[in-house]
Amino acid sequence: NMKVEIIPCLSDNFSYIIHDKESDKVSIVDPADFNVCDDVVKKYKKLDFILNTHHHVDHVDGNLDLKKKYNSKILGFELDKDRIPGIDILLKENQKHKIGNLEFEVIFVPGHTKGHIAFYFFKEKVVFTGDALFSLGCGRVFEGTHEEMFNSLNKIKKLPLDTKIYCGHEYTKSNLNFCLAYDSKNTFLKEKEIDIQKKLSSNQPTMPTILGQEIKTNIFLRCNDPEIKHALGLKDSSEVEVFSKLRDLKDSF
């Protein structure tokens, strides 16, 4: 029922079309660029909803022009009511909301920004994570604390292992290099490397990724791994301390 179409935007952003075939409702997640997104939306001749994970301009820049052209409704988190352009529907933490016959749950994942959310379509096992969780990485901590970001990632980590993850950027290659630097013995990571290279060399997006794979390969979800703690010289540290150290190292990687 749920068709997801990936739209590469700007230099490395992803916007996503969600088409609910049953009700013929069309939504877009984080429209980064009006023209690029509209070229895809045009095929559907309509756009019912715009879903924003957070307020950053590279996730909301298409909002107003798309809304004007298609009379779409814009959905975002209540904390961002003054920061998301054209917002119509204010979402709350843990709320369930229907778009057509599809239903998502709002997962509040602050850290990158104060009002960041993920859209979790629980029946379809699909989650749009914006700039919270990336394939093999996580977002920079801009408006929150490292602890908030760590807790946010753990919320996503608790979803079913076969959940498909669609994130906000094609950062997978540089994230891979960082993971390999501090988790060099990880055989799952070596397998994932082959898959990533194959996709990138044929100009395919590395999305979606699967949560179960991320748990085995994404260093930011592996803060309790003894090998990683050892590599960082933090063998007696808490998971949050390990996460903070990794995030700082990645910032300057």
Side-chain angles (χ1 to χ4, degrees):
N1 264 359
M2 180 186 196
K3 179 173 159 248
V4 177
E5 189 166 351
I6 302 173
I7 311 176
C9 288
L10 308 175
S11 62
D12 55 28
N13 276 72
F14 289 127
S15 301
Y16 298 103
I17 298 266
I18 302 170
H19 184 213
D20 172 24
K21 292 178 184 162
E22 223 170 272
S23 67
D24 195 35
K25 291 277 186 238
V26 181
S27 309
I28 194 166
V29 179
D30 288 350
D33 177 295
F34 170 71
N35 292 315
V36 178
C37 290
D38 191 42
D39 279 347
V40 182
V41 174
K42 262 189 256 191
K43 299 189 305 195
Y44 296 92
K45 301 188 171 59
K46 62 191 293 228
L47 181 64
D48 300 289
F49 301 106
I50 296 168
L51 278 52
N52 292 133
T53 59
H54 65 297
H55 73 91
H56 283 160
V57 70
D58 61 327
H59 294 257
V60 302
D61 208 37
N63 274 22
L64 295 176
D65 289 333
L66 287 168
K67 178 178 176 170
K68 192 169 153 191
K69 179 168 179 181
Y70 295 101
N71 198 22
S72 323
K73 288 265 182 278
I74 297 177
L75 289 73
F77 194 55
E78 58 183 356
L79 278 182
D80 277 343
K81 68 176 193 300
D82 301 319
R83 303 205 292 180
I84 288 177
I87 193 166
D88 298 294
I89 296 167
L90 301 179
L91 300 168
K92 292 181 176 344
E93 184 174 2
N94 301 329
Q95 176 188 346
K96 289 186 172 64
H97 187 92
K98 276 192 131 153
I99 50 172
N101 293 325
L102 301 174
E103 194 174 6
F104 64 78
E105 184 179 333
V106 177
I107 305 178
F108 180 42
V109 285
H112 182 66
T113 65
K114 281 186 167 62
H116 200 305
I117 56 174
F119 296 94
Y120 174 44
F121 291 81
F122 42 92
K123 287 198 183 77
E124 292 74 20
K125 293 191 188 168
V126 165
V127 65
F128 296 88
T129 57
D131 290 359
L133 179 68
F134 296 125
S135 179
L136 300 183
C138 73
R140 281 177 182 260
V141 179
F142 285 129
E143 295 176 10
T145 63
H146 284 72
E147 189 166 0
E148 278 178 317
M149 190 59 150
F150 173 76
N151 292 334
S152 293
L153 295 178
N154 275 340
K155 287 183 191 175
I156 299 169
K157 194 176 172 179
K158 288 190 176 86
L159 300 178
L161 291 176
D162 54 346
T163 304
K164 284 185 182 147
I165 296 165
Y166 292 93
C167 71
H169 291 272
E170 184 57 270
Y171 290 162
T172 310
K173 182 73 175 80
S174 62
N175 290 340
L176 168 73
N177 294 340
F178 180 74
C179 289
L180 286 167
Y182 293 96
D183 194 11
S184 55
K185 297 189 178 117
N186 187 334
T187 49
F188 297 114
L189 198 52
K190 306 250 165 61
E191 283 166 30
K192 183 124 174 126
E193 180 177 20
I194 295 163
D195 179 53
I196 289 165
Q197 301 290 17
K198 205 184 290 175
K199 282 179 174 156
L200 292 176
S201 61
S202 57
N203 273 328
Q204 297 292 311
T206 58
M207 293 305 115
T209 179
I210 309 294
L211 182 60
Q213 278 180 15
E214 289 297 316
I215 288 171
K216 289 177 179 167
T217 54
N218 184 333
I219 199 163
F220 292 100
L221 300 181
R222 295 168 47 70
C223 294
N224 59 350
D225 183 87
E227 289 281 343
I228 293 167
K229 286 179 153 186
H230 181 72
L232 297 171
L234 292 176
K235 66 180 200 333
D236 300 321
S237 299
S238 71
E239 283 191 55
V240 180
E241 287 168 319
V242 173
F243 173 78
S244 300
K245 176 75 175 167
L246 286 169
R247 188 58 262 180
D248 290 346
L249 286 166
K250 180 70 170 74
D251 286 344
S252 54
F253 186 69

